[in-house]
Amino acid sequence: MRTLVHLSDLHFGRVDKAILQPLIDRIKAIGPDVIVISGDLTQRARSAEFIEARKFLDELPSPQIVVPGNHDVPLYNLFDRFFRALDRYRKHITEDLSPFHADEEIAVLGINTARSLTIKEGRINARQIAEIKARMCGLAPEVTKIVVTHHPFDLPENSPHGVVGRARQAMVAIAGCGVDVILSGHLHLSHTGHSAERFDVGGHSSLIIQAGTATSTRGRGEQNAFNVIRIDGKMIRIERNFWQPEGSLFGIAGTEQFEETTRGWVRAA
């Protein structure tokens, strides 16, 4: 079995500092095999914010798969936005914009969807789609394949956001390689969907798992939250951990369980 902790939308520069240490303690107690952080480590891509984010990451276990979000691209400085978009991210967080971790049970690939030309939304390009194929298509069928992006492939009902640009082209590759799970953020809401409900790409269905904001004060009607994802062969269990102010701790507030069938991943009875 493998255990992943899925964090998103940290937004250092606008965090609730009172929950940082309880979050670190909770993650250490879980003892994950991999930590995934699906973007927006900072609020305005300032050096001081990245330094704070780096200190937070250093407190967490490794390995870590981290991708940037749209807030990690400078907004107001147009020169930095278009010519040095992720320089501070690369300096303080990681040079690797396509991080990859694999063992005999799981493979996790991060894809950068943040772009200078868009303020909020993101895109996947042809090179990144080719990388998904190169990394994922040759893996053994028993390996659970996971792709991480900041921008989502699915949306809760009535969401004002859009899905990531070129989502359908990417889903063709994702389906062709048998990717099992897509982890994303951006929405500040916890949500689980199925790719087959939005994309008709040959009958394959991936789980699309959104994480809420782990540490930001920019909640959208939901307490700070993160996901624990437990993968045991053909079973996946998602544990939603929410901040509980009355106890000053993170605790499990809901679970979902899915099993792999010939129809793809379906909710277990």
Side-chain angles (χ1 to χ4, degrees):
M1 187 174 78
R2 292 291 182 267
T3 299
L4 281 69
V5 162
H6 175 204
L7 307 174
S8 197
D9 297 88
L10 306 180
H11 289 282
F12 275 91
R14 194 168 172 181
V15 301
D16 182 350
K17 294 186 177 181
I19 72 176
L20 292 179
Q21 194 58 51
L23 176 59
I24 292 167
D25 293 343
R26 175 67 176 150
I27 293 171
K28 287 181 176 179
I30 291 166
D33 296 288
V34 181
I35 292 179
V36 168
I37 301 178
S38 54
D40 278 1
L41 283 80
T42 66
Q43 177 64 14
R44 284 289 172 252
R46 298 186 175 102
S47 293
E49 295 170 351
F50 278 119
I51 289 170
E52 286 188 69
R54 179 72 264 166
K55 290 178 180 178
F56 174 76
L57 296 183
D58 288 343
E59 290 288 325
L60 301 178
S62 294
Q64 299 174 5
I65 296 292
V66 186
V67 298
N70 52 289
H71 276 264
D72 299 318
V73 176
L75 179 61
Y76 300 115
N77 186 320
L78 294 182
F79 181 84
D80 282 355
R81 182 170 185 83
F82 288 102
F83 297 101
R84 298 189 296 219
L86 290 172
D87 281 11
R88 292 170 188 155
Y89 177 91
R90 289 175 182 269
K91 177 180 179 180
H92 296 290
I93 305 302
T94 177
E95 285 278 352
D96 192 354
L97 297 182
S98 302
F100 182 69
H101 169 85
D103 59 32
E104 65 275 11
E105 294 189 35
I106 60 172
V108 189
L109 172 64
I111 297 291
N112 168 34
T113 58
R115 298 290 186 268
S116 297
L117 288 172
T118 60
I119 300 299
K120 291 184 178 181
E121 309 308 333
R123 296 179 73 81
I124 290 180
N125 60 35
R127 178 187 57 78
Q128 292 171 318
I129 293 171
E131 183 161 17
I132 292 171
K133 293 179 181 178
R135 290 287 196 182
M136 295 296 184
C137 282
L139 296 174
E142 61 268 20
V143 174
T144 300
K145 304 169 188 177
I146 303 164
V147 169
V148 182
T149 63
H150 176 63
H151 295 87
F153 280 81
D154 191 35
L155 303 168
E157 189 175 354
N158 299 321
S159 173
H161 295 276
V163 297
V164 65
R166 295 195 180 95
R168 180 173 179 77
Q169 295 95 313
M171 280 305 311
V172 171
I174 284 169
C177 294
V179 170
D180 299 286
V181 178
I182 303 170
L183 303 179
S184 303
H186 189 56
L187 306 178
H188 292 209
L189 293 171
S190 304
H191 176 69
T192 303
H194 300 267
S195 63
E197 295 175 356
R198 185 175 291 269
F199 306 97
D200 181 10
V201 286
H204 177 79
S205 188
S206 304
L207 281 179
I208 303 177
I209 304 173
Q210 298 287 136
T213 171
T215 57
S216 173
T217 59
R218 300 174 69 246
R220 293 172 183 157
E222 182 178 285
Q223 288 284 357
N224 293 101
F226 70 95
N227 298 326
V228 178
I229 302 167
R230 303 189 188 274
I231 302 169
D232 190 1
K234 294 184 179 297
M235 299 293 295
I236 291 178
R237 178 182 174 90
I238 306 167
E239 300 170 358
R240 305 285 189 182
N241 284 251
F242 284 87
W243 176 244
Q244 300 174 3
E246 65 280 3
S248 297
L249 51 79
F250 281 88
I252 298 173
T255 63
E256 299 174 281
Q257 189 153 303
F258 299 86
E259 58 183 335
E260 188 179 20
T261 70
T262 56
R263 297 178 289 120
W265 291 91
V266 299
R267 195 174 297 275

